[in-house]
Amino acid sequence: MTINDDDPQEIVTDAGTARSPRGTGRRLHGAVAHKLGTAILSGEYAPGDTLAGEVDFSKTLDVSRSAYREAVQVLTAKGLVESRPKIGTRVLPRSRWNLLDPDVLAWAFAAEPDIMFVRDLFELRAIVEPAAAALAAERRDRADLKIMKDALTAMRRHTLATEAGRAADREFHDAVLTATRNDALIVLSASIGAAVNWTTQYKQRARALPRNPIPDHVLVYDAIAAGDATAASAAMRTLVDLALEDTKAAMQR
């Protein structure tokens, strides 16, 4: 089976017939970056390891050399690898990885995530989101509250077992950060949203969520709407702590 470089969304089978691949239809080099990034995040390639040359890799992956080179550029921009003449492409130390990049988060959860990395994500959320909720309670306007309320409605309608429901979940957390009116916090919205999305998906891999987390979000909304910064912070902290417990339980299963 080969991937058609002229149309990266078309796969040509050995029988010569074309069909569309399952999945998101990401561009060819994006698919290669996903494969390599997942291998690095899963530990298949450890820091310090040197990847095979582009000729060997392009043959192994059955893609063009240019697609492989573009994929390596993506990984380089995210701090996962570096390429040097006569040395090749080497996996960088984990401390250099942009672990908050949404793509890197996706690659981390494509396989079995590391429990320490999951802990790190929730520690970050526990530091950022309660403080953000407190600021949001003080600075939110009607438009912010409407976005949060609409997101809650969509979460109830679709449930977090669906992509639509998880998208609404991301919109809720994004709206809280936006309501802080703090640009340094708002810039974290993509990373926080990705962390929320992938941990929620991961918890449902084996079976349905152990409990319904939407009421936890409602408590956060109610406190922000009431302008109660202390209650908003406490409600968000509880939401994050319970989400961590659910994720730990899913990993133990």
Side-chain angles (χ1 to χ4, degrees):
M1 178 179 290
T2 59
I3 300 177
N4 188 333
D5 286 339
D6 294 327
D7 181 358
Q9 297 190 45
E10 181 179 87
I11 291 180
V12 180
T13 65
D14 295 334
T17 57
R19 64 173 178 82
S20 296
R22 291 177 296 173
T24 61
R26 60 170 58 88
R27 292 178 60 187
L28 181 58
H29 75 270
V32 178
H34 175 87
K35 183 177 182 66
L36 294 175
T38 299
I40 292 171
L41 268 293
S42 69
E44 183 178 341
Y45 296 107
D49 285 352
T50 300
L51 303 184
E54 70 177 46
V55 174
D56 292 337
F57 243 124
S58 60
K59 288 181 179 178
T60 300
L61 299 177
D62 202 11
V63 298
S64 68
R65 292 171 62 181
S66 63
Y68 173 74
R69 286 195 298 269
E70 290 179 13
V72 168
Q73 290 174 1
V74 171
L75 300 182
T76 299
K78 299 178 188 301
L80 270 62
V81 302
E82 67 174 1
S83 296
R84 292 184 178 181
K86 299 182 180 180
I87 295 178
T89 301
R90 182 174 62 90
V91 179
L92 291 173
R94 190 179 179 88
S95 60
R96 298 277 298 277
W97 300 357
N98 184 359
L99 291 171
L100 294 182
D101 182 282
D103 286 336
V104 176
L105 286 169
W107 299 337
F109 282 89
E112 191 71 16
D114 178 73
I115 183 63
M116 297 304 292
F117 179 54
V118 172
R119 183 210 65 182
D120 291 348
L121 286 178
F122 277 99
E123 285 183 351
L124 173 68
R125 289 186 60 193
I127 292 168
V128 172
E129 291 195 271
L135 288 175
E138 297 171 347
R139 301 173 181 177
R140 87 290 183 275
D141 59 23
R142 290 182 180 179
D144 297 317
L145 293 177
K146 184 179 187 307
I147 294 172
M148 294 179 206
K149 192 171 184 178
D150 288 347
L152 288 172
T153 299
M155 289 166 67
R156 292 190 187 98
R157 180 188 306 121
H158 301 291
T159 79
L160 297 182
T162 68
E163 175 52 37
R166 291 190 294 271
D169 191 10
R170 294 194 298 272
E171 289 170 5
F172 180 87
H173 289 270
D174 180 74
V176 172
L177 289 171
T178 299
T180 67
R181 303 293 183 268
N182 181 311
D183 289 343
L185 284 172
I186 292 171
V187 82
L188 292 174
S189 61
S191 299
I192 294 294
V196 169
N197 178 62
W198 290 111
T199 52
T200 300
Q201 282 199 53
Y202 177 79
K203 285 181 287 188
Q204 300 177 90
R205 283 184 175 179
R207 60 185 180 184
L209 288 172
R211 60 182 189 84
N212 181 10
I214 295 177
D216 304 331
H217 291 71
V218 173
L219 292 176
V220 173
Y221 169 80
D222 288 343
I224 291 175
D228 190 334
T230 300
S233 177
M236 183 63 87
R237 180 59 191 252
T238 298
L239 185 158
V240 174
D241 287 346
L242 290 174
L244 173 58
E245 292 305 312
D246 291 344
T247 304
K248 284 181 177 178
M251 296 185 80
Q252 289 170 356
R253 289 198 301 270

